[in-house]
Amino acid sequence: MTRVNSPLKQRRAGVLLHPTSLPGPLDKGDLGPEAYRFVEFLAASGMTVWQILPLSPTHNDGSPYNCMSSSAGNPELISLDLLIEQGWLSADDLISLHELRTSDPPAFRRNLLRKAHQTFIQHAPETDKTALAGFVKQQSCWLDDYALYQVLKEENRAACWTDWPTELRDRKPQALKQAKIRLKYSITQVYFEQFIFFRQWLALKDYANAHGMQMFGDMPIFVAHDSADVWSKRHNFELDEQGKPLFVAGVPPDYFALQGQRWGHPHYAWKTMQADGFQYWTERMKLQTQLFDIIRIDHFRGFESYWEIPASSATAMDGRWQTAPGDELFQTLVEKIGALPLVAEDLGIITPEVYALRDKYHLPGMIILQFAFDGSPDNPYLPYKHRVNSVVYTGTHDNDTVLGWFNSLTHETKNYVDDYLGSPGEPMPWPLIRCALDSVSLWAIVPMQDILMLGSEHRMNTPGTTQGNWQWRFNWDQLSVDVPARLRHLNQLYGRI
């Protein structure tokens, strides 16, 4: 049996906060000064893990799990403040586009990134230009197709690639050659934006690592049908001749959605992937291990078997389970990459076969404390059932906040939770935060909303819905001045420093 050492080497605690939720003057948080301030807050609190959601470019729904590329960074996370510091933008540039800032924030960013690119072309030192050329060459396995996809999508008024002219939809060589000539400058703009994103992200990661922080990323199992991955690598997906999905992903009924969830992502053509040695997954994983210290791999159970929904079905109820070659995939990744710094998102309908795959590669699983208190002494999320090789959460981005969850419980269940937690005198969510930090699980993660003691209106996502998600942000005024010391004390008390 293949054994891979767990990436969890010591007891740590951390906070779940996506960069878009950081404070700041624009429509969403980014990789700029507030991200560095957040690292300093974590360090002062004795936290040594920063967990984020996927960093990929999103569609209009804002979901980082419905990404347009499995490898690209979201240019909306690029810090304009840092570009000003670098000299590629000026404060006057921001003022000149002030009206767009409030009326059309994405256009505001796009215009300023184009301005920064122009300044880069005219004034950047040769070392920076050489670095950009090196980045483009190094990342060409995904960057060339992604850049072409983005500029063709813009040229075709944001239409899905299946609705582009047939010769572009089907990637006819002559059509692609002409497009690369016609759209050369726009393609170099995408190169520049990705170069800047990666440079800013890796600088932030270096800063966090220097403060003792592990950067905990998130790797979606699927990509959107309307994505550079599917357009450029159609053979890896179950599609018809027009490029439309034959089957789509989702899950049957579970805790989060009583009627199941129809996500709509196309399923992989696993036999084709297996035949070429899982090249697509190897390239994805190599890049992610460069960007993060440890990676949560989303919907892990889909690597053992997956819920296959006919694309013609309007709901997830018509799906069926199909076997996936997860063992062969992970064995290949270990052989090509080495030890895998992965945490398995093993939530939902989990079978013994899924646990066997997780444990064969010694991957930590996830424990959600909000799921623990159904009254059953055999509930696997109760603290005395926890595994050392695991990550315990008060809740995730898909859960309600702890305060919202607790307030929604019946009177009897609230009494049961209080009794189990020793009739704590502290108000929620602090008793559950203590419970997580006290767990034998090597890592404990607390969403920022719980540290701020926020209610349901501040949750990040409600699974099965498409409106009002992924928009939550905090501000520093919500943070009591005593919180860093309080968290540091708890981390010391429970051996996580």
Side-chain angles (χ1 to χ4, degrees), residues 255 370 400-415 417-418 426-429 432 450 453-458:
Y255 171 88
Q370 286 187 32
D400 199 348
T401 67
V402 165
L403 187 59
W405 161 78
F406 186 74
N407 287 339
S408 72
L409 299 177
T410 65
H411 181 72
E412 291 75 17
T413 305
K414 284 181 181 178
N415 287 339
V417 172
D418 285 339
E426 295 175 301
M428 279 291 179
L432 211 65
D450 292 342
M453 302 179 67
L454 299 177
S456 298
E457 66 275 19
H458 296 276

Side-chain angles (χ1 to χ4, degrees), residues 28-41:
K28 59 187 64 175
D30 56 37
L31 304 180
E34 295 293 353
Y36 288 79
R37 182 178 177 183
F38 187 70
V39 169
E40 294 162 2
F41 157 73

Side-chain angles (χ1 to χ4, degrees), residues 99-110:
E99 290 185 6
L100 271 183
R101 181 171 177 168
T102 53
S103 63
D104 192 346
F108 175 76
R109 287 178 181 273
R110 284 195 302 270

Side-chain angles (χ1 to χ4, degrees), residues 269-489:
W270 281 113
K271 289 183 180 179
T272 301
M273 288 185 156
Q274 194 166 0
D276 72 2
F278 299 106
Q279 180 180 354
Y280 173 81
W281 281 100
T282 302
E283 291 173 353
R284 277 188 72 179
M285 191 65 70
K286 282 182 178 178
L287 179 61
Q288 296 305 305
T289 57
Q290 295 168 18
L291 297 177
F292 303 105
D293 300 301
I294 188 168
I295 306 154
R296 188 192 88 123
I297 190 158
D298 185 52
H299 195 56
F300 177 78
R301 73 104 56 247
F303 292 102
E304 190 282 325
S305 56
Y306 55 92
W307 191 245
E308 180 186 81
I309 306 166
S312 58
S313 297
T315 72
M317 303 296 288
D318 297 328
R320 61 177 180 173
W321 289 110
Q322 296 279 40
T323 301
D327 190 16
E328 294 84 352
L329 168 62
F330 287 108
Q331 183 63 49
T332 299
L333 293 176
V334 169
E335 292 170 357
K336 293 184 177 181
I337 298 175
L340 302 177
L342 301 178
V343 169
E345 189 269 289
D346 52 352
L347 307 174
I349 300 174
I350 307 300
T351 64
E353 290 80 8
V354 178
Y355 287 134
L357 179 63
R358 179 198 69 187
D359 293 344
K360 179 175 182 178
Y361 295 93
H362 206 54
L363 303 181
M366 291 174 56
I367 296 168
I368 313 301
L369 285 175
Q370 286 187 32
F371 296 164
F373 302 102
D374 63 358
S376 169
D378 296 322
N379 187 307
Y381 298 112
L382 284 169
Y384 69 86
K385 295 279 190 177
H386 292 184
R387 303 163 63 245
V388 172
N389 190 37
S390 65
V391 182
V392 63
Y393 294 77
T394 54
T396 74
H397 63 276
D398 282 333
N399 291 100
D400 199 348
T401 67
V402 165
L403 187 59
W405 161 78
F406 186 74
N407 287 339
S408 72
L409 299 177
T410 65
H411 181 72
E412 291 75 17
T413 305
K414 284 181 181 178
N415 287 339
Y416 169 59
V417 172
D418 285 339
D419 193 20
Y420 189 95
L421 298 176
S423 299
E426 295 175 301
M428 279 291 179
W430 285 99
L432 211 65
I433 293 174
R434 279 182 176 271
C435 185
L437 297 176
D438 185 35
S439 169
V440 297
S441 297
L442 277 175
W443 280 20
I445 303 293
V446 182
M448 188 63 178
Q449 292 95 318
D450 292 342
I451 290 172
L452 299 175
M453 302 179 67
L454 299 177
S456 298
E457 66 275 19
H458 296 276
R459 71 182 294 170
M460 189 64 161
N461 180 49
T462 302
T465 67
T466 58
Q467 302 295 322
N469 297 319
W470 317 111
Q471 298 175 11
W472 177 74
R473 300 180 72 182
F474 86 95
N475 63 73
W476 292 109
D477 291 340
Q478 294 171 304
L479 186 69
S480 300
V481 293
D482 65 327
V483 166
R486 186 177 190 178
L487 287 171
R488 175 169 283 275
H489 168 72

